[in-house]
Amino acid sequence: YPNDLDLLFHVNNGRYFTYLDIARMDWLIRTGDWERVKDLGWYPVAVSASLRFKKSLTVFQKFEMHTRMAGWD
């Protein structure tokens, strides 16, 4: 979306975290864990997040996200 981009048509740095939230929910739904988590009254939350930007993501550029469970507390 246009509001995902900065003035140079690169993905805005803050938008990456939104993409990560979407990937986390997609992972929960695909694994079937979302129903269990929801039934328990729990919700997924990232307590801490850190990004290292290696290169710019430009408008209409395709990309992949890979998600995995790193821990459960």
Side-chain angles (χ1 to χ4, degrees):
Y1 294 110
N3 60 338
D4 293 350
L5 307 174
D6 62 17
L7 296 174
L8 299 174
F9 296 103
H10 297 109
V11 172
N12 179 308
N13 292 348
R15 199 57 166 169
Y16 285 97
F17 289 103
T18 301
Y19 294 155
L20 294 172
D21 287 338
I22 293 168
R24 187 169 33 258
M25 288 302 298
D26 179 66
W27 182 84
L28 280 169
I29 292 166
R30 286 176 183 253
T31 60
D33 288 334
W34 175 241
E35 289 300 321
R36 284 191 304 168
V37 167
K38 190 174 64 170
D39 290 344
L40 291 169
W42 299 349
Y43 55 92
V45 63
V47 176
S48 177
S50 175
L51 280 176
R52 182 175 51 208
F53 299 99
K54 294 185 176 185
K55 65 179 190 173
S56 296
L57 184 59
T58 58
V59 65
F60 302 121
Q61 181 180 349
K62 291 184 179 185
F63 66 97
E64 291 183 15
M65 294 190 81
H66 299 268
T67 305
R68 64 182 173 87
M69 176 66 69
W72 190 279
D73 188 7

